[in-house]
Short mmCIF file of all heavy atoms in Angstrom, two decimals:
data_model
loop_
_atom_site.label_atom_id
_atom_site.label_comp_id
_atom_site.label_asym_id
_atom_site.label_seq_id
_atom_site.Cartn_x
_atom_site.Cartn_y
_atom_site.Cartn_z
N MET A 1 -0.10 16.43 -12.18
CA MET A 1 0.24 15.25 -11.40
C MET A 1 1.63 14.81 -11.83
O MET A 1 1.83 14.63 -13.06
CB MET A 1 -0.81 14.13 -11.59
CG MET A 1 -0.56 12.95 -10.79
SD MET A 1 -1.82 11.62 -11.03
CE MET A 1 -3.33 12.46 -10.55
N THR A 2 2.53 14.48 -10.95
CA THR A 2 3.83 14.05 -11.31
C THR A 2 3.87 12.53 -11.61
O THR A 2 2.96 11.80 -11.34
CB THR A 2 4.87 14.25 -10.14
OG1 THR A 2 4.49 13.37 -9.06
CG2 THR A 2 4.84 15.65 -9.67
N GLN A 3 4.94 12.19 -12.34
CA GLN A 3 5.06 10.77 -12.71
C GLN A 3 5.03 9.81 -11.50
O GLN A 3 4.45 8.77 -11.57
CB GLN A 3 6.39 10.55 -13.50
CG GLN A 3 6.57 9.18 -14.02
CD GLN A 3 5.64 8.76 -15.13
OE1 GLN A 3 4.97 9.62 -15.72
NE2 GLN A 3 5.48 7.49 -15.43
N ALA A 4 5.71 10.24 -10.40
CA ALA A 4 5.71 9.37 -9.18
C ALA A 4 4.34 9.22 -8.58
O ALA A 4 4.03 8.11 -8.13
CB ALA A 4 6.57 10.09 -8.13
N CYS A 5 3.49 10.17 -8.73
CA CYS A 5 2.11 10.04 -8.21
C CYS A 5 1.23 9.18 -9.13
O CYS A 5 0.30 8.57 -8.70
CB CYS A 5 1.42 11.36 -8.00
SG CYS A 5 2.23 12.33 -6.62
N GLN A 6 1.61 9.10 -10.41
CA GLN A 6 0.81 8.29 -11.41
C GLN A 6 1.07 6.88 -11.19
O GLN A 6 0.21 6.06 -11.48
CB GLN A 6 1.18 8.76 -12.77
CG GLN A 6 0.67 10.11 -13.10
CD GLN A 6 1.07 10.55 -14.55
OE1 GLN A 6 1.75 9.84 -15.22
NE2 GLN A 6 0.52 11.67 -15.00
N ARG A 7 2.24 6.47 -10.71
CA ARG A 7 2.55 5.10 -10.46
C ARG A 7 2.54 4.76 -9.04
O ARG A 7 3.14 5.45 -8.23
CB ARG A 7 3.91 4.75 -11.07
CG ARG A 7 4.29 3.32 -11.05
CD ARG A 7 5.63 3.08 -11.73
NE ARG A 7 5.52 3.31 -13.19
CZ ARG A 7 5.36 2.36 -14.05
NH1 ARG A 7 5.25 1.09 -13.70
NH2 ARG A 7 5.24 2.65 -15.29
N TYR A 8 1.83 3.73 -8.66
CA TYR A 8 1.76 3.25 -7.25
C TYR A 8 1.41 1.83 -7.23
O TYR A 8 1.13 1.17 -8.19
CB TYR A 8 0.62 4.05 -6.51
CG TYR A 8 -0.77 3.90 -7.11
CD1 TYR A 8 -1.54 2.86 -6.56
CD2 TYR A 8 -1.25 4.69 -8.08
CE1 TYR A 8 -2.82 2.67 -7.07
CE2 TYR A 8 -2.49 4.50 -8.56
CZ TYR A 8 -3.29 3.49 -8.10
OH TYR A 8 -4.57 3.32 -8.52
N TYR A 9 1.61 1.23 -6.06
CA TYR A 9 1.34 -0.16 -5.85
C TYR A 9 0.72 -0.38 -4.52
O TYR A 9 0.91 0.41 -3.60
CB TYR A 9 2.63 -1.02 -6.08
CG TYR A 9 3.69 -0.67 -5.06
CD1 TYR A 9 3.85 -1.47 -3.92
CD2 TYR A 9 4.59 0.33 -5.30
CE1 TYR A 9 4.84 -1.16 -2.95
CE2 TYR A 9 5.63 0.67 -4.32
CZ TYR A 9 5.70 -0.15 -3.24
OH TYR A 9 6.69 0.19 -2.27
N TRP A 10 -0.04 -1.45 -4.34
CA TRP A 10 -0.61 -1.81 -3.06
C TRP A 10 0.25 -2.97 -2.55
O TRP A 10 0.77 -3.75 -3.28
CB TRP A 10 -2.02 -2.32 -3.26
CG TRP A 10 -3.08 -1.19 -3.62
CD1 TRP A 10 -3.30 -0.74 -4.85
CD2 TRP A 10 -3.72 -0.40 -2.70
NE1 TRP A 10 -4.25 0.22 -4.77
CE2 TRP A 10 -4.54 0.48 -3.42
CE3 TRP A 10 -3.89 -0.40 -1.31
CZ2 TRP A 10 -5.38 1.43 -2.81
CZ3 TRP A 10 -4.76 0.56 -0.72
CH2 TRP A 10 -5.52 1.37 -1.47
N LEU A 11 0.33 -2.98 -1.21
CA LEU A 11 1.12 -4.06 -0.53
C LEU A 11 0.60 -4.32 0.81
O LEU A 11 0.40 -3.36 1.57
CB LEU A 11 2.60 -3.63 -0.49
CG LEU A 11 3.59 -4.69 -0.01
CD1 LEU A 11 3.71 -5.80 -1.02
CD2 LEU A 11 4.89 -4.04 0.29
N PRO A 12 0.33 -5.54 1.19
CA PRO A 12 -0.07 -5.89 2.65
C PRO A 12 1.15 -5.71 3.50
O PRO A 12 2.23 -6.27 3.19
CB PRO A 12 -0.45 -7.36 2.56
CG PRO A 12 -0.73 -7.65 1.08
CD PRO A 12 0.19 -6.75 0.32
N VAL A 13 1.06 -4.90 4.54
CA VAL A 13 2.14 -4.64 5.47
C VAL A 13 1.58 -4.78 6.88
O VAL A 13 0.35 -4.74 7.17
CB VAL A 13 2.70 -3.20 5.32
CG1 VAL A 13 3.44 -3.06 3.92
CG2 VAL A 13 1.62 -2.22 5.43
N VAL A 14 2.47 -5.07 7.77
CA VAL A 14 2.09 -5.24 9.23
C VAL A 14 1.47 -3.88 9.72
O VAL A 14 2.05 -2.86 9.64
CB VAL A 14 3.29 -5.61 10.11
CG1 VAL A 14 2.96 -5.64 11.60
CG2 VAL A 14 3.93 -6.91 9.65
N ASP A 15 0.27 -4.01 10.13
CA ASP A 15 -0.56 -2.87 10.73
C ASP A 15 -1.51 -3.40 11.73
O ASP A 15 -2.43 -4.17 11.37
CB ASP A 15 -1.24 -2.21 9.50
CG ASP A 15 -1.98 -0.86 9.90
OD1 ASP A 15 -2.31 -0.74 11.07
OD2 ASP A 15 -2.15 -0.09 8.97
N GLU A 16 -1.31 -3.05 12.93
CA GLU A 16 -2.13 -3.59 14.02
C GLU A 16 -3.56 -3.01 14.06
O GLU A 16 -4.39 -3.36 14.89
CB GLU A 16 -1.43 -3.33 15.39
CG GLU A 16 -0.17 -4.10 15.45
CD GLU A 16 0.60 -3.83 16.76
OE1 GLU A 16 0.07 -3.17 17.66
OE2 GLU A 16 1.73 -4.35 16.91
N SER A 17 -3.90 -2.10 13.13
CA SER A 17 -5.26 -1.62 13.05
C SER A 17 -6.28 -2.68 12.60
O SER A 17 -7.45 -2.53 12.64
CB SER A 17 -5.32 -0.38 12.24
OG SER A 17 -5.10 -0.65 10.89
N SER A 18 -5.71 -3.74 12.00
CA SER A 18 -6.53 -4.81 11.47
C SER A 18 -6.51 -6.00 12.41
O SER A 18 -5.42 -6.42 12.95
CB SER A 18 -6.06 -5.25 10.09
OG SER A 18 -6.60 -6.47 9.69
N SER A 19 -7.58 -6.74 12.51
CA SER A 19 -7.60 -7.93 13.36
C SER A 19 -6.71 -9.02 12.75
O SER A 19 -6.23 -9.87 13.48
CB SER A 19 -9.00 -8.44 13.54
OG SER A 19 -9.57 -8.81 12.29
N TYR A 20 -6.51 -9.02 11.38
CA TYR A 20 -5.62 -9.92 10.78
C TYR A 20 -4.09 -9.57 11.06
O TYR A 20 -3.30 -10.44 10.92
CB TYR A 20 -5.90 -9.94 9.30
CG TYR A 20 -5.04 -10.89 8.54
CD1 TYR A 20 -5.16 -12.25 8.72
CD2 TYR A 20 -4.18 -10.42 7.50
CE1 TYR A 20 -4.42 -13.15 8.02
CE2 TYR A 20 -3.33 -11.28 6.79
CZ TYR A 20 -3.50 -12.70 7.04
OH TYR A 20 -2.71 -13.53 6.29
N GLY A 21 -3.84 -8.31 11.43
CA GLY A 21 -2.53 -7.96 11.69
C GLY A 21 -1.76 -7.26 10.46
O GLY A 21 -0.71 -6.83 10.56
N LEU A 22 -2.39 -7.35 9.26
CA LEU A 22 -1.88 -6.79 8.05
C LEU A 22 -2.97 -5.89 7.41
O LEU A 22 -4.15 -6.22 7.49
CB LEU A 22 -1.40 -7.82 7.05
CG LEU A 22 -0.28 -8.71 7.50
CD1 LEU A 22 -0.08 -9.86 6.44
CD2 LEU A 22 0.96 -7.99 7.70
N VAL A 23 -2.58 -4.82 6.68
CA VAL A 23 -3.47 -4.00 5.93
C VAL A 23 -2.78 -3.77 4.57
O VAL A 23 -1.60 -3.50 4.56
CB VAL A 23 -3.81 -2.68 6.69
CG1 VAL A 23 -4.62 -1.78 5.79
CG2 VAL A 23 -4.50 -3.01 7.99
N ARG A 24 -3.55 -3.74 3.51
CA ARG A 24 -2.98 -3.37 2.19
C ARG A 24 -3.00 -1.87 2.14
O ARG A 24 -4.02 -1.15 2.20
CB ARG A 24 -3.89 -3.88 1.03
CG ARG A 24 -3.65 -5.33 0.77
CD ARG A 24 -4.45 -5.78 -0.53
NE ARG A 24 -5.80 -5.38 -0.48
CZ ARG A 24 -6.76 -6.23 -0.15
NH1 ARG A 24 -6.48 -7.43 0.29
NH2 ARG A 24 -8.06 -5.86 -0.14
N HIS A 25 -1.76 -1.24 1.97
CA HIS A 25 -1.59 0.12 1.85
C HIS A 25 -1.04 0.47 0.47
O HIS A 25 -0.42 -0.37 -0.14
CB HIS A 25 -0.63 0.65 2.85
CG HIS A 25 -1.18 0.73 4.31
ND1 HIS A 25 -1.86 1.91 4.72
CD2 HIS A 25 -1.16 -0.07 5.31
CE1 HIS A 25 -2.24 1.71 6.01
NE2 HIS A 25 -1.86 0.45 6.33
N ALA A 26 -1.22 1.64 -0.03
CA ALA A 26 -0.72 2.12 -1.32
C ALA A 26 0.57 2.94 -1.10
O ALA A 26 0.72 3.69 -0.20
CB ALA A 26 -1.79 3.00 -2.03
N PHE A 27 1.58 2.64 -1.98
CA PHE A 27 2.89 3.30 -1.92
C PHE A 27 3.13 3.92 -3.32
O PHE A 27 2.84 3.31 -4.30
CB PHE A 27 3.94 2.27 -1.51
CG PHE A 27 3.70 1.72 -0.17
CD1 PHE A 27 2.90 0.52 -0.01
CD2 PHE A 27 4.26 2.36 0.94
CE1 PHE A 27 2.70 0.03 1.29
CE2 PHE A 27 4.03 1.79 2.22
CZ PHE A 27 3.29 0.57 2.41
N ALA A 28 3.81 5.07 -3.34
CA ALA A 28 4.20 5.67 -4.65
C ALA A 28 5.36 4.94 -5.23
O ALA A 28 6.18 4.39 -4.57
CB ALA A 28 4.58 7.14 -4.37
N GLY A 29 5.35 4.90 -6.57
CA GLY A 29 6.48 4.29 -7.31
C GLY A 29 6.14 2.91 -7.70
O GLY A 29 4.94 2.58 -7.90
N ARG A 30 7.10 2.04 -7.85
CA ARG A 30 7.04 0.69 -8.31
C ARG A 30 7.57 -0.15 -7.23
O ARG A 30 8.60 0.04 -6.57
CB ARG A 30 7.79 0.43 -9.59
CG ARG A 30 7.33 1.25 -10.71
CD ARG A 30 8.07 0.96 -12.04
NE ARG A 30 9.49 0.77 -11.89
CZ ARG A 30 10.24 0.21 -12.74
NH1 ARG A 30 9.76 -0.26 -13.84
NH2 ARG A 30 11.56 0.11 -12.53
N TYR A 31 6.92 -1.35 -7.01
CA TYR A 31 7.33 -2.29 -5.97
C TYR A 31 8.76 -2.76 -6.23
O TYR A 31 9.55 -2.94 -5.30
CB TYR A 31 6.36 -3.47 -5.89
CG TYR A 31 6.81 -4.50 -4.86
CD1 TYR A 31 6.83 -4.21 -3.51
CD2 TYR A 31 7.19 -5.79 -5.18
CE1 TYR A 31 7.21 -5.18 -2.54
CE2 TYR A 31 7.53 -6.71 -4.39
CZ TYR A 31 7.60 -6.40 -2.97
OH TYR A 31 8.02 -7.33 -2.04
N ILE A 32 9.11 -2.96 -7.53
CA ILE A 32 10.42 -3.49 -7.77
C ILE A 32 11.55 -2.52 -7.29
O ILE A 32 12.66 -2.86 -7.12
CB ILE A 32 10.54 -3.79 -9.33
CG1 ILE A 32 11.77 -4.67 -9.57
CG2 ILE A 32 10.55 -2.56 -10.16
CD1 ILE A 32 11.70 -5.42 -10.81
N ASP A 33 11.21 -1.21 -7.25
CA ASP A 33 12.11 -0.17 -6.84
C ASP A 33 12.14 0.11 -5.38
O ASP A 33 12.88 0.97 -4.89
CB ASP A 33 11.92 1.16 -7.64
CG ASP A 33 12.09 0.99 -9.07
OD1 ASP A 33 13.00 0.13 -9.50
OD2 ASP A 33 11.39 1.63 -9.86
N ALA A 34 11.19 -0.53 -4.65
CA ALA A 34 11.01 -0.22 -3.21
C ALA A 34 12.22 -0.68 -2.37
O ALA A 34 12.83 -1.71 -2.71
CB ALA A 34 9.76 -0.85 -2.69
N GLY A 35 12.41 0.04 -1.31
CA GLY A 35 13.45 -0.33 -0.42
C GLY A 35 12.91 -1.20 0.82
O GLY A 35 11.80 -1.85 0.56
N ALA A 36 13.54 -1.22 1.90
CA ALA A 36 13.11 -2.02 3.02
C ALA A 36 11.97 -1.32 3.77
O ALA A 36 11.17 -1.98 4.46
CB ALA A 36 14.21 -2.29 3.97
N ASN A 37 11.81 -0.03 3.56
CA ASN A 37 10.73 0.78 4.30
C ASN A 37 10.06 1.70 3.23
O ASN A 37 10.74 2.00 2.31
CB ASN A 37 11.31 1.58 5.42
CG ASN A 37 11.93 0.69 6.46
OD1 ASN A 37 11.28 -0.10 7.11
ND2 ASN A 37 13.23 0.91 6.68
N GLY A 38 8.88 2.04 3.50
CA GLY A 38 8.19 2.97 2.59
C GLY A 38 7.11 3.76 3.37
O GLY A 38 6.57 3.35 4.36
N GLU A 39 6.82 4.95 2.79
CA GLU A 39 5.79 5.78 3.34
C GLU A 39 4.48 5.59 2.47
O GLU A 39 4.63 5.82 1.25
CB GLU A 39 6.13 7.23 3.40
CG GLU A 39 5.07 8.11 4.03
CD GLU A 39 5.45 9.59 4.20
OE1 GLU A 39 6.61 9.91 4.01
OE2 GLU A 39 4.53 10.37 4.41
N SER A 40 3.39 5.24 3.09
CA SER A 40 2.15 5.02 2.30
C SER A 40 1.51 6.28 1.96
O SER A 40 1.86 7.40 2.44
CB SER A 40 1.20 4.14 3.21
OG SER A 40 0.83 4.88 4.39
N PHE A 41 0.48 6.30 1.16
CA PHE A 41 -0.26 7.55 0.83
C PHE A 41 -0.95 8.18 2.05
O PHE A 41 -1.29 9.26 2.00
CB PHE A 41 -1.26 7.20 -0.30
CG PHE A 41 -0.65 7.31 -1.66
CD1 PHE A 41 -0.01 6.21 -2.19
CD2 PHE A 41 -0.65 8.49 -2.40
CE1 PHE A 41 0.61 6.27 -3.51
CE2 PHE A 41 -0.06 8.57 -3.63
CZ PHE A 41 0.56 7.49 -4.21
N CYS A 42 -1.25 7.28 3.04
CA CYS A 42 -1.90 7.83 4.29
C CYS A 42 -0.83 8.35 5.21
O CYS A 42 -1.15 8.58 6.39
CB CYS A 42 -2.81 6.76 4.92
SG CYS A 42 -1.92 5.32 5.52
N ALA A 43 0.40 8.49 4.73
CA ALA A 43 1.48 9.18 5.55
C ALA A 43 1.99 8.33 6.71
O ALA A 43 2.40 8.90 7.71
CB ALA A 43 1.12 10.52 5.93
N LYS A 44 1.93 7.02 6.62
CA LYS A 44 2.53 6.18 7.65
C LYS A 44 3.70 5.40 7.10
O LYS A 44 3.68 5.05 5.94
CB LYS A 44 1.40 5.16 8.16
CG LYS A 44 0.27 5.87 8.85
CD LYS A 44 -0.75 4.83 9.29
CE LYS A 44 -1.97 5.52 9.85
NZ LYS A 44 -3.09 4.51 10.09
N ASN A 45 4.69 5.14 7.94
CA ASN A 45 5.88 4.41 7.51
C ASN A 45 5.73 2.95 7.88
O ASN A 45 5.35 2.62 8.96
CB ASN A 45 7.11 4.96 8.14
CG ASN A 45 7.50 6.34 7.52
OD1 ASN A 45 7.62 6.40 6.29
ND2 ASN A 45 7.58 7.32 8.36
N PHE A 46 6.10 2.10 6.93
CA PHE A 46 6.03 0.68 7.17
C PHE A 46 7.23 -0.10 6.64
O PHE A 46 7.91 0.35 5.63
CB PHE A 46 4.75 0.02 6.40
CG PHE A 46 3.47 0.53 6.86
CD1 PHE A 46 2.81 1.51 6.19
CD2 PHE A 46 2.85 -0.02 8.00
CE1 PHE A 46 1.59 2.07 6.66
CE2 PHE A 46 1.66 0.44 8.45
CZ PHE A 46 1.05 1.46 7.82
N ALA A 47 7.58 -1.21 7.29
CA ALA A 47 8.56 -2.11 6.76
C ALA A 47 7.93 -2.92 5.62
O ALA A 47 6.80 -3.33 5.73
CB ALA A 47 9.03 -3.11 7.82
N LEU A 48 8.67 -3.01 4.51
CA LEU A 48 8.09 -3.65 3.33
C LEU A 48 8.69 -5.04 3.18
O LEU A 48 9.92 -5.20 3.23
CB LEU A 48 8.35 -2.86 2.03
CG LEU A 48 7.88 -1.39 2.13
CD1 LEU A 48 8.27 -0.70 0.79
CD2 LEU A 48 6.41 -1.27 2.31
N ALA A 49 7.90 -6.04 3.04
CA ALA A 49 8.34 -7.38 2.87
C ALA A 49 7.44 -8.05 1.89
O ALA A 49 6.35 -7.66 1.56
CB ALA A 49 8.28 -8.14 4.20
N LYS A 50 7.88 -9.27 1.35
CA LYS A 50 7.13 -9.98 0.32
C LYS A 50 5.92 -10.67 1.10
O LYS A 50 6.23 -11.62 1.91
CB LYS A 50 7.95 -10.94 -0.41
CG LYS A 50 7.20 -11.68 -1.50
CD LYS A 50 8.06 -12.50 -2.29
CE LYS A 50 7.27 -13.20 -3.35
NZ LYS A 50 8.08 -14.03 -4.20
N PRO A 51 4.66 -10.35 0.82
CA PRO A 51 3.58 -11.03 1.41
C PRO A 51 3.27 -12.40 0.79
O PRO A 51 3.63 -12.56 -0.36
CB PRO A 51 2.44 -10.02 1.24
CG PRO A 51 2.78 -9.33 -0.01
CD PRO A 51 4.22 -9.27 0.02
N SER A 52 2.50 -13.19 1.55
CA SER A 52 2.09 -14.45 1.02
C SER A 52 0.80 -14.21 0.18
O SER A 52 0.16 -13.20 0.37
CB SER A 52 1.79 -15.51 2.12
OG SER A 52 0.67 -15.11 2.84
N GLU A 53 0.37 -15.24 -0.51
CA GLU A 53 -0.96 -15.18 -1.22
C GLU A 53 -2.06 -14.97 -0.24
O GLU A 53 -3.08 -14.26 -0.55
CB GLU A 53 -1.08 -16.37 -2.07
CG GLU A 53 -0.22 -16.43 -3.30
CD GLU A 53 -0.43 -17.66 -4.16
OE1 GLU A 53 -1.63 -18.08 -4.26
OE2 GLU A 53 0.58 -18.16 -4.70
N VAL A 54 -2.03 -15.63 0.87
CA VAL A 54 -3.08 -15.52 1.85
C VAL A 54 -3.16 -14.13 2.43
O VAL A 54 -4.21 -13.57 2.68
CB VAL A 54 -2.78 -16.53 3.03
CG1 VAL A 54 -3.87 -16.30 4.22
CG2 VAL A 54 -2.93 -17.90 2.48
N ASP A 55 -1.99 -13.47 2.60
CA ASP A 55 -1.95 -12.09 3.06
C ASP A 55 -2.71 -11.18 2.06
O ASP A 55 -3.50 -10.27 2.51
CB ASP A 55 -0.50 -11.54 3.22
CG ASP A 55 0.21 -12.28 4.26
OD1 ASP A 55 -0.40 -12.85 5.17
OD2 ASP A 55 1.45 -12.26 4.24
N TRP A 56 -2.56 -11.32 0.79
CA TRP A 56 -3.24 -10.53 -0.24
C TRP A 56 -4.75 -10.79 -0.10
O TRP A 56 -5.50 -9.78 -0.30
CB TRP A 56 -2.83 -10.95 -1.64
CG TRP A 56 -1.45 -10.32 -1.98
CD1 TRP A 56 -0.27 -10.89 -2.04
CD2 TRP A 56 -1.31 -8.90 -2.40
NE1 TRP A 56 0.67 -10.03 -2.43
CE2 TRP A 56 0.04 -8.80 -2.67
CE3 TRP A 56 -2.18 -7.84 -2.53
CZ2 TRP A 56 0.64 -7.56 -3.08
CZ3 TRP A 56 -1.59 -6.62 -2.92
CH2 TRP A 56 -0.22 -6.54 -3.23
N ILE A 57 -5.21 -11.90 0.21
CA ILE A 57 -6.63 -12.25 0.33
C ILE A 57 -7.18 -11.73 1.65
O ILE A 57 -8.29 -11.15 1.68
CB ILE A 57 -6.87 -13.77 0.18
CG1 ILE A 57 -6.45 -14.25 -1.22
CG2 ILE A 57 -8.33 -14.13 0.56
CD1 ILE A 57 -6.29 -15.74 -1.29
N GLN A 58 -6.49 -11.96 2.73
CA GLN A 58 -7.08 -11.63 4.07
C GLN A 58 -6.91 -10.20 4.53
O GLN A 58 -7.71 -9.70 5.23
CB GLN A 58 -6.33 -12.49 5.12
CG GLN A 58 -6.61 -14.02 4.92
CD GLN A 58 -8.09 -14.39 5.28
OE1 GLN A 58 -8.64 -13.73 6.10
NE2 GLN A 58 -8.52 -15.34 4.63
N ALA A 59 -5.89 -9.52 4.02
CA ALA A 59 -5.61 -8.10 4.49
C ALA A 59 -6.61 -7.16 3.90
O ALA A 59 -6.73 -7.12 2.61
CB ALA A 59 -4.20 -7.72 4.14
N PRO A 60 -7.31 -6.37 4.67
CA PRO A 60 -8.18 -5.31 4.09
C PRO A 60 -7.44 -4.22 3.52
O PRO A 60 -6.23 -3.96 3.86
CB PRO A 60 -9.08 -4.90 5.27
CG PRO A 60 -8.06 -5.09 6.47
CD PRO A 60 -7.33 -6.32 6.10
N SER A 61 -7.98 -3.40 2.60
CA SER A 61 -7.33 -2.27 2.01
C SER A 61 -7.51 -1.08 2.93
O SER A 61 -8.53 -0.87 3.59
CB SER A 61 -7.91 -1.87 0.63
OG SER A 61 -7.69 -2.93 -0.26
N CYS A 62 -6.51 -0.22 3.03
CA CYS A 62 -6.49 1.03 3.79
C CYS A 62 -7.47 2.01 3.10
O CYS A 62 -7.24 2.40 1.92
CB CYS A 62 -5.15 1.64 3.96
SG CYS A 62 -5.14 3.23 4.70
N GLN A 63 -8.48 2.41 3.83
CA GLN A 63 -9.45 3.34 3.22
C GLN A 63 -8.91 4.73 3.06
O GLN A 63 -9.25 5.50 2.15
CB GLN A 63 -10.79 3.32 3.95
CG GLN A 63 -11.48 2.02 3.91
CD GLN A 63 -11.80 1.61 2.46
OE1 GLN A 63 -12.27 2.33 1.66
NE2 GLN A 63 -11.27 0.37 2.13
N ASP A 64 -7.96 5.12 3.93
CA ASP A 64 -7.30 6.43 3.84
C ASP A 64 -6.42 6.49 2.56
O ASP A 64 -6.44 7.48 1.80
CB ASP A 64 -6.44 6.72 5.09
CG ASP A 64 -7.27 6.99 6.29
OD1 ASP A 64 -8.44 7.36 6.12
OD2 ASP A 64 -6.80 6.81 7.35
N CYS A 65 -5.65 5.43 2.27
CA CYS A 65 -4.89 5.42 1.06
C CYS A 65 -5.79 5.42 -0.14
O CYS A 65 -5.53 6.17 -1.11
CB CYS A 65 -4.04 4.08 0.98
SG CYS A 65 -2.58 4.10 2.03
N ASN A 66 -6.85 4.73 -0.14
CA ASN A 66 -7.85 4.70 -1.23
C ASN A 66 -8.41 6.05 -1.43
O ASN A 66 -8.51 6.51 -2.64
CB ASN A 66 -8.91 3.65 -0.92
CG ASN A 66 -9.67 3.28 -2.10
OD1 ASN A 66 -9.17 3.18 -3.25
ND2 ASN A 66 -11.04 2.98 -1.96
N SER A 67 -8.80 6.69 -0.44
CA SER A 67 -9.33 8.08 -0.54
C SER A 67 -8.33 9.05 -1.16
O SER A 67 -8.63 9.85 -2.02
CB SER A 67 -9.79 8.59 0.79
OG SER A 67 -10.84 7.82 1.25
N MET A 68 -7.04 8.90 -0.69
CA MET A 68 -5.99 9.79 -1.24
C MET A 68 -5.80 9.59 -2.70
O MET A 68 -5.69 10.53 -3.45
CB MET A 68 -4.72 9.57 -0.49
CG MET A 68 -4.67 10.03 1.04
SD MET A 68 -4.84 11.78 1.15
CE MET A 68 -3.34 12.34 0.48
N LEU A 69 -5.76 8.37 -3.10
CA LEU A 69 -5.59 8.03 -4.55
C LEU A 69 -6.75 8.54 -5.37
O LEU A 69 -6.56 9.08 -6.46
CB LEU A 69 -5.39 6.56 -4.74
CG LEU A 69 -4.03 5.96 -4.28
CD1 LEU A 69 -4.07 4.50 -4.35
CD2 LEU A 69 -2.88 6.53 -5.08
N LYS A 70 -7.95 8.42 -4.84
CA LYS A 70 -9.11 8.94 -5.60
C LYS A 70 -9.06 10.44 -5.73
O LYS A 70 -9.34 10.96 -6.82
CB LYS A 70 -10.39 8.58 -4.82
CG LYS A 70 -10.82 7.16 -4.97
CD LYS A 70 -12.09 6.88 -4.18
CE LYS A 70 -12.52 5.43 -4.40
NZ LYS A 70 -13.69 5.13 -3.59
N GLU A 71 -8.55 11.13 -4.68
CA GLU A 71 -8.43 12.60 -4.79
C GLU A 71 -7.30 13.01 -5.85
O GLU A 71 -7.52 14.00 -6.56
CB GLU A 71 -7.99 13.20 -3.45
CG GLU A 71 -9.08 13.23 -2.39
CD GLU A 71 -8.63 13.85 -1.15
OE1 GLU A 71 -7.71 14.60 -1.07
OE2 GLU A 71 -9.29 13.48 -0.13
N LEU A 72 -6.23 12.26 -5.88
CA LEU A 72 -5.20 12.47 -6.87
C LEU A 72 -5.66 12.29 -8.30
O LEU A 72 -5.28 13.03 -9.15
CB LEU A 72 -3.98 11.66 -6.59
CG LEU A 72 -3.09 11.95 -5.34
CD1 LEU A 72 -2.10 10.91 -5.16
CD2 LEU A 72 -2.46 13.28 -5.56
N LYS A 73 -6.45 11.35 -8.47
CA LYS A 73 -7.01 11.04 -9.85
C LYS A 73 -8.10 11.98 -10.19
O LYS A 73 -8.44 12.09 -11.45
CB LYS A 73 -7.44 9.56 -9.91
CG LYS A 73 -6.24 8.61 -9.81
CD LYS A 73 -6.60 7.22 -10.27
CE LYS A 73 -5.33 6.39 -10.23
NZ LYS A 73 -5.36 5.40 -11.17
N GLY A 74 -8.68 12.59 -9.23
CA GLY A 74 -9.81 13.58 -9.61
C GLY A 74 -11.05 12.91 -9.83
O GLY A 74 -11.90 12.85 -10.58
#
Protein backbone atom coordinates (compact mmCIF):
# COMPACT_ATOMS: atom_id res chain seq x y z
CA MET A 1 0.00 0.00 0.00
CA THR A 2 1.42 3.39 -0.95
CA GLN A 3 1.71 6.34 1.40
CA ALA A 4 -1.03 8.20 -0.55
CA CYS A 5 -3.47 5.35 0.00
CA GLN A 6 -2.66 5.19 3.71
CA ARG A 7 -3.70 8.80 4.26
CA TYR A 8 -7.22 9.89 3.42
CA TYR A 9 -9.94 12.21 4.62
CA TRP A 10 -13.71 12.33 4.51
CA LEU A 11 -15.50 15.44 3.29
CA PRO A 12 -19.17 16.30 2.71
CA VAL A 13 -19.51 17.37 -0.94
CA VAL A 14 -22.42 18.26 -3.20
CA ASP A 15 -23.92 14.96 -4.39
CA GLU A 16 -27.51 14.75 -5.58
CA SER A 17 -27.72 11.05 -4.69
CA SER A 18 -28.68 12.17 -1.16
CA SER A 19 -31.95 13.83 -0.21
CA TYR A 20 -29.83 16.27 1.84
CA GLY A 21 -27.84 17.21 -1.29
CA LEU A 22 -24.48 16.34 0.26
CA VAL A 23 -22.67 13.05 0.86
CA ARG A 24 -19.45 12.41 2.82
CA HIS A 25 -16.92 10.95 0.38
CA ALA A 26 -13.35 9.78 1.06
CA PHE A 27 -10.41 11.37 -0.77
CA ALA A 28 -6.75 10.31 -0.90
CA GLY A 29 -4.17 12.53 0.76
CA ARG A 30 -4.69 15.30 3.29
CA TYR A 31 -7.44 17.90 3.26
CA ILE A 32 -4.93 20.66 3.85
CA ASP A 33 -3.23 19.73 0.55
CA ALA A 34 -6.47 19.42 -1.43
CA GLY A 35 -7.21 21.65 -4.38
CA ALA A 36 -10.55 22.97 -5.59
CA ASN A 37 -11.55 19.56 -7.01
CA GLY A 38 -10.86 15.99 -6.05
CA GLU A 39 -11.51 12.41 -7.09
CA SER A 40 -13.12 10.27 -4.40
CA PHE A 41 -12.30 6.64 -3.70
CA CYS A 42 -15.51 5.73 -5.54
CA ALA A 43 -13.98 7.36 -8.68
CA LYS A 44 -16.24 10.42 -8.86
CA ASN A 45 -15.00 13.99 -9.21
CA PHE A 46 -16.29 16.66 -6.85
CA ALA A 47 -15.77 20.34 -6.12
CA LEU A 48 -14.24 20.62 -2.64
CA ALA A 49 -15.37 23.34 -0.27
CA LYS A 50 -15.40 23.88 3.47
CA PRO A 51 -18.56 22.27 4.86
CA SER A 52 -20.54 23.55 7.83
CA GLU A 53 -20.91 21.63 11.08
CA VAL A 54 -24.48 20.78 10.09
CA ASP A 55 -23.22 19.32 6.81
CA TRP A 56 -20.97 16.93 8.74
CA ILE A 57 -23.93 15.80 10.83
CA GLN A 58 -26.58 15.57 8.09
CA ALA A 59 -24.59 14.18 5.13
CA PRO A 60 -24.53 10.37 4.93
CA SER A 61 -21.27 8.56 4.19
CA CYS A 62 -20.68 7.09 0.74
CA GLN A 63 -20.88 3.33 1.09
CA ASP A 64 -18.79 2.80 -2.08
CA CYS A 65 -15.94 4.88 -0.63
CA ASN A 66 -16.26 3.00 2.66
CA SER A 67 -16.09 -0.36 0.88
CA MET A 68 -13.04 0.70 -1.15
CA LEU A 69 -11.19 1.78 2.00
CA LYS A 70 -12.05 -1.49 3.74
CA GLU A 71 -10.62 -3.41 0.75
CA LEU A 72 -7.42 -1.35 0.82
CA LYS A 73 -6.93 -1.99 4.52
CA GLY A 74 -7.59 -5.70 4.09
